[in-house]
Amino acid sequence: MRATSTISSTTYDGSHSLIYHACLVLAGTALIALSAQVKLPLLPVPITLQTTAILFLSIIFGPALGATAVAGYLLEGALGLPVFAGFSAGVPILLGQTGGYLIGFLPAAIVSGYLAQKGWNKGIKVFCNVLIGTIILFTPGVIMLSHFVGWHRAYQFGVQIFYVTESAKIIFLAGFLNQFNDYFSFLK
């Protein structure tokens, strides 16, 4: 299998400065924070564009830089910056009903970034990559939500309600990356 270049695979080799990496991470955290504010306020879990932003960043940045951006975003929110959905913040959000989805961002970023480096960033493979990342992201979300509302309601309000919107986001992101992934090479 041919490995594919992502931003982190070309920039973490020392060819760019620490300042360059920090700027990419800050831009990533800003994109995730902005995407959190685009939401449909459903209860108990709102529909946002965070999943799309996280998988997009992970696929173009790769696992190291993508995970660093996600970890930075989570740290910003935990420390009180209002970056979570609805301009919320704090550790209670991470430990609350929607905290599992936030926690799921990190493994999703790592796996999707890794798959992108292994060539899963074009064609049907990018669709599968985004789908896998979404499943990874939702798994801790529904598990944590079930502790608050039970398994049946966690599935109903934490998975089932997202079928249409997540399917549309997966198709959009896979199509977008198929068309424009090569244009992000300027970041490399």
Side-chain angles (χ1 to χ4, degrees):
M1 179 184 322
R2 184 178 65 92
T4 302
S5 177
T6 62
I7 291 172
S8 67
S9 67
T10 57
T11 60
Y12 270 26
D13 65 359
S15 62
H16 291 285
S17 71
L18 182 60
I19 293 171
Y20 178 81
H21 294 142
C23 288
L24 287 176
V25 168
L26 288 175
T29 64
L31 178 64
I32 299 167
L34 288 172
S35 70
Q37 308 319 316
V38 179
K39 69 175 194 155
L40 294 173
L42 300 178
L43 293 177
V45 182
I47 296 173
T48 69
L49 291 179
Q50 287 170 297
T51 56
T52 307
I54 285 160
L55 296 172
F56 168 74
L57 289 172
S58 301
I59 290 169
I60 66 164
F61 280 3
L65 202 54
T68 303
V70 170
Y73 166 76
L74 295 173
L75 182 62
E76 290 168 352
L79 292 175
L81 292 175
V83 295
F84 297 146
F87 296 102
S88 60
V91 174
I93 300 296
L94 290 169
L95 300 176
Q97 292 183 0
T98 60
Y101 296 94
L102 294 168
I103 292 164
F105 291 171
L106 196 55
I110 293 167
V111 171
S112 286
Y114 173 79
L115 290 173
Q117 277 188 336
K118 296 299 179 187
W120 289 48
N121 63 348
K122 283 286 192 183
I124 191 69
K125 286 184 177 181
V126 75
F127 173 83
C128 293
N129 185 348
V130 175
L131 179 62
I132 290 166
T134 301
I135 292 168
I136 291 169
L137 189 153
F138 268 74
T139 300
V142 76
I143 290 170
M144 194 159 185
L145 182 60
S146 72
H147 292 292
F148 292 91
V149 300
W151 282 107
H152 176 71
R153 290 178 60 82
Y155 176 76
Q156 183 181 10
F157 296 113
V159 176
Q160 188 176 24
I161 199 167
F162 294 105
Y163 283 164
V164 172
T165 56
E166 286 304 311
S167 296
K169 289 191 284 184
I170 290 167
I171 291 166
F172 168 78
L173 183 57
F176 180 83
L177 288 168
N178 264 321
Q179 291 298 312
F180 299 107
N181 200 4
D182 293 337
Y183 293 104
F184 297 107
S185 62
F186 74 94
L187 295 170
K188 299 175 183 172

